[in-house]
Amino acid sequence: MQRRHFIKNTALTAMAVSATGFIRFNGTSYEGDCETTSDILGPFYRPGSPERSRLLVKGDPGTIVELSGHIRQSDCKTACKNAKVELWHCSSTGEYDNSSNDYRYRGTVYTDDKGNYSFTTVFPVPYDAGGGLIRPAHFHLLVTAAGYPSLVTQLYFSGDKNIAKDPWASASHAKRRILEVQNLSNGSKKVIFDVALAGKISAEPTSLDKLTGIYSDEKDHTKKIEIFKSQGTLWMKNEVFGEQFAYAGNNTFRYADQSAVINWTLEFEILASGAVKLTVREQEGKGEEKTMVAIKK
């Protein structure tokens, strides 16, 4: 399914958990240093990708690329050991493997004692996401480390003409994720991406359990929303796996990047009957806010 078509027809798509970067002292005040920002998770995340660093598929075309870097903790210096790094991307023909047992172009590695990670794969390509949107070439990363909220982000590449018209890649907070591509003498490429993790408020795990389940639209009971827990955060089920939401306090979960074009909010209320009321708010740009109320009994 084309990604843009998927977003428009699932009503709520795309939540990213943010990391707000590190600071340094410039002699007068503290300022951002090695900031790592979040990006949309997208509809095609699959959990359980094999633990492997080499994602090449025999017989598939494409230019080989090494993606590598360091994962660091909130002091911007200390290596983050044993951090889980998940990578997924489209093939050189613009397709995601959303169902096969091969998990093509999907893999998981863990950082070493110095925080290093590395993948060898093929270079992704831009693809038609529908609605006139051509998504620039990009890698998806999900970084999970003890003591930190998960970081969902996307990496783009310098010189891609499609970045300017893409609402996510062209956002100001994505500038540090537009990466230089090194062309090596053997015809392959190399991309370096260092990640800086930062803390953020998290919901208490047992509270999340109370919010999970199947919700029915109070006006049309045939419309369902499934909320589930994974990696310590709430997710909304989609056709592949789900969309991730970040906790914002006061029983509210939302897309963490407030500068994004599309904003969704999930507001939960525990009723006296024991049922849970879910109010979904959706707004694109400065357009009219759309609201849906659903109940889990």
Side-chain angles (χ1 to χ4, degrees):
M1 181 180 291
Q2 289 183 325
R3 184 177 182 282
R4 187 71 173 178
H5 181 72
F6 184 93
I7 288 176
K8 290 298 184 181
N9 286 280
T10 50
L12 301 167
T13 321
M15 304 341 34
V17 178
S18 74
T20 51
F22 297 125
I23 58 175
R24 63 184 172 85
F25 190 67
N26 64 12
T28 304
S29 61
Y30 289 92
E31 61 185 15
D33 186 10
C34 49
E35 176 184 355
T36 300
T37 56
S38 65
D39 205 331
I40 55 171
L41 177 64
F44 300 140
Y45 170 68
R46 292 178 67 190
S49 61
E51 187 174 337
R52 60 189 178 191
S53 62
R54 190 173 179 86
L55 309 186
L56 301 177
V57 178
K58 185 176 181 180
D60 276 13
T63 300
I64 295 176
V65 58
E66 179 189 353
L67 170 66
S68 62
H70 306 279
I71 312 295
R72 297 189 176 95
Q73 298 190 35
S74 56
D75 60 0
C76 203
K77 298 178 181 178
T78 305
C80 200
K81 305 176 185 178
N82 203 38
K84 182 181 181 181
V85 184
E86 297 174 70
L87 170 68
W88 68 102
H89 63 87
C90 71
S91 68
S92 63
T93 57
E95 298 293 326
Y96 285 88
D97 178 3
N98 294 325
S99 59
S100 87
N101 292 331
D102 295 330
Y103 283 79
R104 292 188 298 274
Y105 304 115
R106 299 174 184 267
T108 299
V109 298
Y110 292 85
T111 56
D112 63 17
D113 287 348
K114 295 183 179 180
N116 298 314
Y117 76 93
S118 178
F119 292 95
T120 300
T121 187
V122 298
F123 204 81
V125 297
Y127 59 83
D128 186 350
L133 176 67
I134 303 296
R135 289 236 66 205
H138 57 278
F139 284 134
H140 297 266
L141 280 184
L142 172 57
V143 180
T144 307
Y148 293 94
S150 298
L151 170 67
V152 178
T153 197
Q154 293 188 31
L155 317 180
Y156 306 100
F157 309 107
S158 179
D160 191 324
K161 64 181 181 181
N162 299 294
I163 288 176
K165 295 183 179 180
D166 185 87
W168 300 284
S170 64
S172 59
H173 61 272
K175 287 181 179 179
R176 294 193 185 186
R177 292 185 279 106
I178 301 175
L179 307 176
E180 294 296 327
V181 180
Q182 302 176 40
N183 295 308
L184 305 182
S185 58
N186 63 1
S188 66
K189 298 179 182 294
K190 184 178 179 65
V191 174
I192 297 174
F193 181 64
D194 294 332
V195 173
L197 297 175
K200 189 175 180 179
I201 187 171
S202 298
E204 200 275 323
T206 56
S207 298
L208 291 181
D209 292 337
K210 178 68 176 178
L211 306 180
T212 61
I214 306 294
Y215 290 79
S216 300
D217 188 319
E218 66 174 4
K219 294 181 179 179
D220 181 354
H221 292 174
T222 65
K223 295 181 180 179
K224 308 288 185 181
I225 295 175
E226 181 176 348
I227 303 295
F228 65 99
K229 183 176 74 172
S230 180
Q231 303 175 29
T233 59
L234 281 190
W235 296 63
M236 176 180 290
K237 185 175 178 60
N238 66 17
E239 293 180 2
V240 178
F241 178 67
E243 316 299 343
Q244 190 177 33
F245 288 78
Y247 184 54
N250 195 29
N251 288 344
T252 299
F253 295 75
R254 66 188 177 193
Y255 187 14
D257 180 8
Q258 296 302 295
S259 65
V261 174
I262 303 173
N263 182 55
W264 289 286
T265 302
L266 307 182
E267 299 172 5
F268 294 90
E269 179 183 355
I270 310 300
L271 305 180
S273 64
V276 183
K277 177 181 177 181
L278 168 61
T279 302
V280 179
R281 303 185 189 279
E282 175 193 357
Q283 186 174 31
E284 184 169 355
K286 296 181 179 180
E288 181 181 355
E289 181 182 87
K290 299 177 182 179
T291 301
M292 173 184 174
V293 177
I295 302 293
K296 182 192 76 166
K297 295 183 179 180

